[in-house]
Amino acid sequence: MHHSSATKGFVETDNTELPIGGRAPLVLNMHRFGEVTHQVCRVAESKPPLAWYVAFVICLGMLGFLGICVTYLFFTGVGVWGLNNPVMWAYDITNFVFWVGIGHAGTLISAILFLFRQKWRTGINRFAEAMTIFAVICAGLFPGIHVGRVWLAYWLFPLPNSMDMWPQFRSPLLWDVFAVGTYFTVSLVFWYIGMVPDLATLRDRAKGKFQQFAYGLAAIGWRGSMRHWHRYEVAYLLLAALATPLVLSVHSVVSFDFAVSQVPGWHTTIFPPYFVAGAIFSGFAMVVSLAVPARELFGLKDLITLRHLDNMNKIILLTGCMVGYAYSMEFFIAWYSGAMYEKFAFVNRAFGQYWWAYWIMVSCNVITPQLFWFKKVRTSVPLMFILSIFVNVGMWFERFVIIVTSLANDFLPTSWDQFVPTWVDIGTMVGAFGLFGALFLLFCRYLPMIAIAEVKAVMPEANPHAHAHGAHAHHGGPQEGHGGHGVPSGAMPAFRDPRSSEGQP
Amino acid sequence: MSTLTAPNVDAPSATPSGAPYGLMAEFRTPAEIMDAAKRVHAAGYRYWDCHVPFPVHGLDKAMGVQRTILPVLVFGAGATGALVGFCLQAFTNAASFSIWALVWVTGYPFLISGKPLMSVPAWIPVIFELTVLVAALATAGLMLLMNDLPRLSHPLLANNRFRRASDDRFFVVIEARDPKFLRSKTEAFLKSLGPSHVEVVEDR
């Protein structure tokens, strides 16, 4: 268990077993707060590995291609996409729903798991939140560029104007503007407020003048005052309590874009919960897809441990089952409703012209996560990475299937048509991944990737009522316990780390 | 002071006036700072604080910090957001009068999808989103405001040793403006708490 500092953070340790009479450690091989600080800050302070540069160049290339596609679109019109009548929404809204969904896992980790006092969230919440913000940026791109006359996109907002024209507030598309706008703003505020103490850490360690200035400005004068922390913790709890119903509302509102319409295959009441479950499912898969290479590259295996990944895979399994249930329930209701258009829409999905998309969706989203019943799969890093990619692919196809198959074959067979993507469609989709990747890589390089202060607070050493740790008890002898102080059961009063006897150098 | 200190972009160029900002004692563990905080609180100091790298559980109570009224203010902000959401939609989609909002604007009674003019159920999503938006912005804004942040400079941020307050050390700082502050006596008191180090923080 005792590693030299060179391998520290790079060696895989299985901490998924619960020790008898104790809690599984969330931080491995570290007993001092300074070690955590160093482990996280060194990523932002030193030159990144070669793989970072390679990935960054690739992402910039994809981002450049996005720029070309969008410019071409602006100068020519939405006809450059493969849209037709009746398929007037295809890749644009598929990508929009896909990216909004990705964002949901970040908020689930940062807000909902916080309210449920899941302490393991501290290892992954910061970069999951960053993922949320970058995903919502990608999501916002698509409705922004699909409006046709982009120079009039500000009509989405109720701005006073000389024509006395107002948005139509009974339309779900306008609800979307408010839902996604609020979601982005609140996520950004939550992320930034959570990061302020860690930016202060980077400021206090910064060597260069520019770093001192930049991190100093970003840390807005935070100095760890307990009086500040008191209000900060209350504010953090309030933000979590606000973000929880918000995140559930956002994908519900996104699903209203479809559910409120009359199109067979869209007009279903199951959509809001089904979309939220799918969003969390795809988002967690994306967190795993990002966490696996990130912890490998930056040596963060002691902080994003196998236990964190195991827990995330369990959530993927759970939400995967919910998504599978929703697929079967849709089919059941289509038959049970007795509505012939509804029945046709679903049979057509599975066996019509887009049958291959439907079966990609089912195999990736329903079958793949079932492998996570096996602990061997849940704790195998390469396997979970591959499976998480499958889930991402499957969830993209889910949105494609819902949107395109329903539109392509609606009420009148005479107006049926087929959607075939153009190179601009595909280029914009690929380019959005470049935008997301570039932002995420910049985040990994310059910002604290792990919530340093939060991780310290869940270390057993952070408990002020524990016995002083060996090397630190150099004065005044053993500390007397301050019993009866109302420590909640989660505050690890009886934690015994099996390695604590050998941990001190 | 030196180039190693945290950025201090608006610090006055004047040299320290002689009167210190306060006294600072450094501790190494959460248990030590908890004990020290209780004793400083019991000694009756008013202008003092603990500076810690993470919120030490129960330390605010030990210091005698009163619970913040932030939640009450945020409730008010949320209610305001809801009201704004309702009025915005009622005016723009169901009214025909004009109001002055920097410029004269007129409502438009939209009749659409067979819904009544005041179709509150269809307005719920936007009312909800604006409630959350205003409440969340108020939470963050008021928290910073009440904490006297953002701040570009502070005497503590110019202290080299204090930089470990965001790393692995725990500090008690008693300010010189405290009525009970007496440099020699306060220093002796801080030393009696068993810190690993005590030093004067210059005001600048």
Side-chain angles (χ1 to χ4, degrees):
Chain A
M1 286 285 187
H2 203 88
H3 307 296
S4 69
S5 61
T7 60
K8 193 164 199 171
F10 288 93
V11 178
E12 201 75 70
T13 312
D14 186 359
N15 60 332
T16 54
E17 290 294 336
L18 215 60
I20 294 161
R23 284 164 166 269
L26 296 170
V27 178
L28 298 174
N29 306 320
M30 283 186 270
H31 295 278
R32 283 173 302 172
F33 303 122
E35 289 177 294
V36 177
T37 314
H38 178 70
Q39 197 90 337
V40 179
C41 290
R42 67 168 187 198
V43 176
E45 287 164 355
S46 52
K47 281 224 177 305
L50 181 68
W52 186 91
Y53 290 99
V54 175
F56 193 59
V57 167
I58 293 172
C59 286
L60 281 186
M62 288 155 71
L63 181 59
F65 196 61
L66 175 71
I68 294 169
C69 291
V70 170
T71 311
Y72 181 47
L73 170 80
F74 286 178
F75 278 87
T76 317
V78 285
V80 302
W81 291 340
L83 303 177
N84 56 40
N85 185 357
V87 188
M88 298 192 188
W89 271 0
Y91 268 38
D92 47 355
I93 302 303
T94 301
N95 287 318
F96 163 69
V97 181
F98 174 77
W99 282 112
V100 178
I102 294 293
H104 278 49
T107 318
L108 184 108
I109 291 168
S110 61
I112 299 180
L113 294 187
F114 180 78
L115 294 184
F116 283 132
R117 303 224 182 275
Q118 294 296 303
K119 287 172 188 294
W120 62 275
R121 74 181 262 293
T122 56
I124 50 171
N125 74 327
R126 173 66 44 72
F127 77 85
E129 285 170 39
M131 178 196 78
T132 294
I133 287 156
F134 306 145
V136 178
I137 289 174
C138 290
L141 173 78
F142 287 96
I145 62 175
H146 97 306
V147 292
R149 291 178 288 169
V150 275
W151 50 94
L152 297 178
Y154 67 92
W155 284 8
L156 292 168
F157 303 101
L159 300 170
N161 59 78
S162 57
M163 298 173 288
D164 277 331
M165 272 193 353
W166 299 108
Q168 204 274 92
F169 277 101
R170 297 177 191 96
S171 161
L173 297 183
L174 193 62
W175 305 345
D176 238 9
V177 174
F178 280 80
V180 176
T182 301
Y183 185 46
F184 179 72
T185 314
V186 173
S187 301
L188 191 67
V189 167
F190 200 14
W191 183 58
Y192 177 66
I193 292 292
M195 202 154 52
V196 163
D198 297 347
L199 288 168
T201 304
L202 280 171
R203 169 199 68 198
D204 292 346
R205 287 167 58 94
K207 297 277 193 294
K209 264 265 173 266
F210 176 74
Q211 282 91 330
Q212 286 177 352
F213 179 78
Y215 287 129
L217 208 57
I220 57 173
W222 184 262
R223 44 193 188 280
S225 153
M226 195 58 216
R227 293 174 199 277
H228 292 184
W229 274 120
H230 170 74
R231 296 189 191 98
Y232 177 96
E233 284 196 286
V234 171
Y236 200 85
L237 179 66
L238 287 170
L239 284 174
L242 289 166
T244 297
L246 174 65
V247 69
L248 299 180
S249 85
V250 172
H251 230 55
S252 298
V253 167
V254 169
S255 81
F256 290 160
D257 293 349
F258 308 100
V260 172
S261 79
Q262 306 284 331
V263 177
W266 284 7
H267 187 66
T268 50
T269 48
I270 201 175
F271 262 22
Y274 157 28
F275 268 50
V276 172
I280 292 164
F281 178 55
S282 65
F284 266 92
M286 188 61 102
V287 177
V288 171
S289 307
L290 294 172
V292 165
R295 66 199 280 276
E296 197 82 40
L297 276 180
F298 298 113
L300 296 169
K301 287 183 181 172
D302 290 341
L303 292 164
I304 305 171
T305 66
L306 215 49
R307 184 173 187 80
H308 293 91
L309 299 174
D310 182 37
N311 283 351
M312 285 196 279
N313 293 336
K314 285 176 184 164
I315 294 181
I316 292 177
L317 172 59
L318 172 72
T319 46
C321 290
M322 287 158 81
V323 167
Y325 168 79
Y327 293 165
S328 49
M329 194 46 67
E330 270 189 324
F331 252 88
F332 172 74
I333 292 295
W335 166 75
Y336 189 70
S337 69
M340 90 190 217
Y341 295 109
E342 197 71 17
K343 254 192 269 189
F344 168 77
F346 281 91
V347 173
N348 185 50
R349 258 183 207 181
F351 305 107
Q353 53 186 337
Y354 292 108
W355 64 271
W356 49 274
Y358 183 83
W359 292 107
I360 290 177
M361 167 189 105
V362 169
S363 28
C364 289
N365 293 350
V366 183
I367 300 168
T368 303
Q370 298 306 319
L371 291 173
F372 283 137
W373 284 107
F374 302 102
K375 189 170 176 183
K376 278 241 159 47
V377 181
R378 285 203 308 274
T379 52
S380 156
V381 175
L383 267 181
M384 74 173 80
F385 181 72
I386 294 166
L387 292 185
S388 75
I389 300 288
F390 270 109
V391 171
N392 281 319
V393 171
M395 283 309 291
W396 190 91
F397 272 99
E398 180 197 296
R399 279 66 179 252
F400 179 81
V401 164
I402 291 173
I403 293 168
V404 173
T405 65
S406 308
L407 285 175
N409 307 101
D410 64 354
F411 301 100
L412 267 184
T414 47
S415 35
W416 288 359
D417 205 342
Q418 180 151 7
F419 168 80
V420 181
T422 63
W423 66 269
V424 189
D425 274 312
I426 295 167
T428 313
M429 177 186 74
V430 172
F433 280 92
L435 172 64
F436 177 76
L439 288 170
F440 193 78
L441 286 165
L442 285 175
F443 157 75
C444 291
R445 172 71 184 83
Y446 294 107
L447 290 173
M449 242 171 90
I450 288 181
I452 307 170
E454 285 189 46
V455 167
K456 286 175 188 165
V458 299
M459 287 168 75
E461 289 79 6
N463 179 13
H465 308 291
H467 295 290
H469 230 292
H472 295 151
H474 57 96
H475 76 89
Q479 301 289 316
E480 73 269 40
H482 304 282
H485 200 59
V487 184
S489 57
M492 62 243 147
F495 182 87
R496 298 292 298 150
D497 189 337
R499 291 164 296 122
S500 58
S501 52
E502 59 166 64
Q504 288 299 323
Chain B
M1 302 200 166
S2 74
T3 54
L4 283 171
T5 52
N8 221 328
V9 282
D10 67 351
S13 53
T15 48
S17 57
Y21 169 77
L23 278 161
M24 173 178 101
E26 181 196 271
F27 297 87
R28 285 165 186 262
T29 66
E32 288 173 13
I33 188 99
M34 183 67 98
D35 191 42
K38 281 179 183 162
R39 286 165 62 185
V40 178
H41 180 54
Y45 284 100
R46 278 169 56 204
Y47 296 104
W48 70 286
D49 210 338
C50 293
H51 296 266
V52 287
F54 56 86
V56 176
H57 192 81
L59 184 61
D60 42 0
K61 274 206 192 79
M63 287 169 66
V65 175
Q66 284 192 335
R67 193 169 163 79
T68 171
I69 59 155
L70 189 61
V72 180
L73 302 178
V74 168
F75 179 81
T80 309
L83 196 66
V84 167
F86 177 80
C87 293
L88 173 74
Q89 296 178 87
F91 175 71
T92 57
N93 276 194
S96 48
F97 54 88
S98 301
I99 55 163
W100 193 80
L102 299 176
V103 290
W104 279 98
V105 289
T106 311
Y108 188 91
F110 255 117
L111 277 173
I112 202 154
S113 61
K115 293 191 179 82
L117 275 181
M118 297 294 270
S119 41
V120 181
W123 293 347
I124 293 292
V126 171
I127 292 175
F128 173 78
E129 301 300 337
L130 285 177
T131 307
V132 171
L133 180 66
V134 177
L137 290 177
T139 305
L142 290 171
M143 184 271 285
L144 294 178
L145 208 68
M146 290 158 94
N147 282 348
D148 195 19
L149 295 171
R151 250 189 103 126
L152 292 177
S153 93
H154 191 274
L156 283 168
L157 294 178
N159 184 295
N160 255 334
R161 202 174 184 92
F162 185 76
R163 296 194 302 160
R164 287 186 79 167
S166 66
D167 182 9
D168 60 348
R169 292 297 151 88
F170 304 79
F171 293 88
V172 168
V173 175
I174 301 180
E175 289 179 45
R177 66 180 165 135
D178 191 287
K180 284 191 64 131
F181 185 88
L182 205 61
R183 187 158 165 173
S184 53
K185 266 181 91 172
T186 304
E187 190 165 351
F189 169 68
L190 281 175
K191 278 185 174 150
S192 76
L193 302 175
S196 53
H197 182 79
V198 175
E199 80 175 47
V200 177
V201 181
E202 299 294 346
D203 198 0
R204 44 166 287 170

